[in-house]
């Protein structure tokens, strides 16, 4: 069976591709340039079951048409992971909202045009950013579930990069559900979404441990490497999920009947910005210690994410905070010759 994965170079997508190849799927990944295609192909050991195709910009009109024209009815499953994560932008529409929303619409329109009868399942990588309302950040009485939606609108979310990123994920996910409702008789596929919270975990390939890591892993990287921004990140708190569990959920999302039409909220509980020292004594005195022991009180001030329904559908335990943080940290320390 052939699975199309958009944004194949991504932190999450690389794990998904690895898991798909291990389960003997044929994978078509989309990447932005030939250079990244060549690099990625090599990292995957030139696996003959992995083909990479160029989609330079998911937001360009008809961005995915050439891929569907080429592979047509071979594609049975589409996993749309590509989306901009650049929160340090002031050009919210150009850099976040338009690519996220139009990228999602483009891949669904391409299915409708070229593979309406053959694509059976589509999984859109959304986010908990599409679920939570950031104005409730300090309210411990709030509970989010699979039914919750971020109230962001196109106009209101453009106050800064973070708010626009959250808006981009909400509006892109909403566009996917709208598409299915409006095209129920025109396409065969069933939709599911995967909505992760902060994704931690090691990079699939050690080569990808750069000075700066993408998205959530930079929180751990900045702390470990003593970057100046770690100072203000000390107050940071949130919920986490391991990248390996996120990948597994993408496969379950199209393999399991129970996942049809569902939003899978991926979170395994809260974290605060401390407690690496215990597991890596060589860091003692070299990184910020935060306020050890304060975590429990901080957690009481945070909204709860109740993803009971998702856990029932997935049926596997998520990795602990200790395992995900330690594995992330160990890979960085190894790269820096400190392990
Ligand atoms: P990455 O930045 O590692 O991956 C994003 C992928 O999208 C990359 O392949 C990137 O290509 C591609 N991409 C972005 N914009 C475009 C564009 N305009 N045209 C073509 N390709 C584009 O991020 P993650 O792996 O962390 O994120 C993957 C998905 O998971 C995203 O949808 C993200 O919103 C979601 N997510 C991630 C979380 C996290 O904490 N990491 C939490 C919740 C959701 P290139 O490599 O060339 O830039």
């Amino acid at each position: 069976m052939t699975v199309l994965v958009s944004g194949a170079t991504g932190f999450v997508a690389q794990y998904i591709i690895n898991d798909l190849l291990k389960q003997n799927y044929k994978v078509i990944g989309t990447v932005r340039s030939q250079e990244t295609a060549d690099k990625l192909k090599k990292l995957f050991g030139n696996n003959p079951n992995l083909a990479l195709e160029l989609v330079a910009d998911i937001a360009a009109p008809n961005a995915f048409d050439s891929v569907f024209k080429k592979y047509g009815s071979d594609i049975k499953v589409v996993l749309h992971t590509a989306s901009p994560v650049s929160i340090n932008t002031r050009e919210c529409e150009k850099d976040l909202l338009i690519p996220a929303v139009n990228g999602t619409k483009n891949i669904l329109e391409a299915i409708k045009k070229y593979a309406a009868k053959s694509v059976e399942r589509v999984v859109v990588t959304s986010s908990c950013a599409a679920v939570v309302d950031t104005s409730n950040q300090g309210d411990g009485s709030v509970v989010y579930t699979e039914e919750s939606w971020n109230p962001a609108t196109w106009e209101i979310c453009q106050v800064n990069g973070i708010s626009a990123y959250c808006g981009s994920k909400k509006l892109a996910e909403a566009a996917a559900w709208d598409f299915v409702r409006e095209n129920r008789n025109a396409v065969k596929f069933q939709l599911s979404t995967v909505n992760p919270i902060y994704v931690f975990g090691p990079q699939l390939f050690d080569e990808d441990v750069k000075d700066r890591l993408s998205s959530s892993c930079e929180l751990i990287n900045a702390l470990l490497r003593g970057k100046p921004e770690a100072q203000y990140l000390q107050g940071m708190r949130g919920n986490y999920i391991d990248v390996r569990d996120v990948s597994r959920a993408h496969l379950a999302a199209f393999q399991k009947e129970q996942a049809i039409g569902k939003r899978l909220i991926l979170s395994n509980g809260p974290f605060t910005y401390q407690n690496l020292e215990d597991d890596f004594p060589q860091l003692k005195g070299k990184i910020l210690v935060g306020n050890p022991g304060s975590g429990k009180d901080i957690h009481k001030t945070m909204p709860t994410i109740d993803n009971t329904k998702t856990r029932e559908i997935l049926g596997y335990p998520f990795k602990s905070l200790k395992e995900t943080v330690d594995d992330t940290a160990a890979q960085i320390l190894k790269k820096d010759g400190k392990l």
Side-chain angles (χ1 to χ4, degrees):
M1 187 189 269
T2 301
V3 182
L4 175 68
V5 181
S6 69
T9 49
F11 169 51
V12 172
Q14 289 186 8
Y15 273 96
I16 295 174
I17 292 171
N18 199 41
D19 285 346
L20 289 167
L21 292 172
K22 278 199 262 178
Q23 293 188 23
N24 293 320
Y25 289 98
K26 287 192 185 325
V27 180
I28 303 161
T30 69
V31 293
R32 290 212 246 201
S33 71
Q34 191 56 48
E35 195 191 339
T36 48
D38 295 343
K39 200 180 134 218
L40 196 63
K41 188 89 181 133
K42 211 167 144 198
L43 285 170
F44 277 104
N46 294 311
N47 190 314
N49 283 337
L50 174 62
L52 295 171
E53 298 295 335
L54 299 190
V55 175
D57 181 6
I58 54 172
N62 309 316
F64 290 94
D65 287 19
S66 60
V67 179
F68 281 93
K69 273 185 200 162
K70 182 168 172 183
Y71 294 93
S73 57
D74 285 354
I75 301 169
K76 298 285 183 267
V77 174
V78 173
L79 308 182
H80 179 50
T81 81
S83 203
V85 292
S86 43
I87 52 169
N88 292 322
T89 183
R90 290 203 183 136
E91 297 198 67
C92 298
E93 278 198 342
K94 179 174 143 297
D95 292 340
L96 288 164
L97 292 166
I98 291 172
V101 175
N102 290 4
T104 304
K105 287 181 179 172
N106 283 339
I107 202 164
L108 300 178
E109 286 293 348
I111 297 171
K112 185 176 163 186
K113 271 192 265 175
Y114 301 103
K117 293 199 170 70
S118 43
V119 171
E120 293 163 10
R121 301 287 283 266
V122 173
V123 181
V124 169
T125 314
S126 183
S127 171
C128 267
V131 174
V132 307
D133 177 352
T134 45
S135 65
N136 289 333
Q137 234 163 15
D139 187 344
S141 68
V142 172
V143 179
Y144 296 113
T145 69
E146 288 80 357
E147 279 74 48
S148 308
W149 280 89
N150 172 353
T153 64
W154 187 280
E155 291 72 28
I156 288 171
C157 76
Q158 292 186 44
V159 287
N160 58 43
I162 292 178
S163 169
Y165 170 73
C166 296
S168 79
K169 297 306 291 179
K170 181 262 175 109
L171 295 166
E173 187 193 328
W177 291 116
D178 286 348
F179 183 95
V180 171
R181 266 190 295 276
E182 289 158 15
N183 292 281
R184 194 55 289 168
N185 297 322
V187 291
K188 175 183 178 188
F189 73 79
Q190 303 285 0
L191 178 68
S192 311
T193 65
V194 174
N195 299 56
I197 194 77
Y198 288 98
V199 183
F200 296 150
Q203 307 294 310
L204 180 64
F205 301 110
D206 289 347
E207 286 88 331
D208 284 330
V209 182
K210 306 272 165 55
D211 179 50
R212 194 182 158 77
L213 297 183
S214 70
S215 46
S216 308
C217 289
E218 182 56 20
L219 293 175
I220 296 174
N221 192 41
L223 178 66
L224 271 180
R225 288 175 158 163
K227 295 188 182 185
E229 56 267 35
Q231 284 288 350
Y232 71 76
L233 286 171
Q234 271 188 99
M236 175 79 206
R237 76 254 341 239
N239 289 270
Y240 84 96
I241 187 77
D242 188 281
V243 65
R244 293 158 287 195
D245 291 327
V246 179
S247 174
R248 217 171 152 183
H250 279 79
L251 272 71
F254 75 81
Q255 291 170 333
K256 292 192 167 214
E257 286 289 307
Q258 309 94 292
I260 289 175
K262 296 292 191 311
R263 304 172 85 205
L264 302 173
I265 309 282
L266 301 184
S267 169
N268 196 35
F271 69 89
T272 45
Y273 207 53
Q274 50 192 302
N275 72 21
L276 269 178
E277 272 196 351
D278 291 348
D279 298 336
F280 297 98
Q282 67 270 48
L283 297 175
K284 219 161 190 69
K286 296 194 179 134
I287 60 167
L288 296 169
V289 290
N291 188 5
S294 62
K296 281 202 180 100
D297 288 337
I298 294 174
H299 297 162
K300 282 186 206 148
T301 68
M302 293 165 57
T304 303
I305 297 176
D306 176 356
N307 56 354
T308 312
K309 288 182 189 157
T310 298
R311 288 174 189 264
E312 274 169 19
I313 293 169
L314 295 178
Y316 61 85
F318 296 143
K319 289 187 185 299
S320 70
L321 182 62
K322 179 173 164 53
E323 184 175 358
T324 189
V325 172
D326 283 5
D327 288 354
T328 313
Q331 190 185 41
I332 296 167
L333 292 172
K334 194 170 132 209
K335 177 84 175 190
D336 293 351
K338 292 180 180 163
L339 197 70

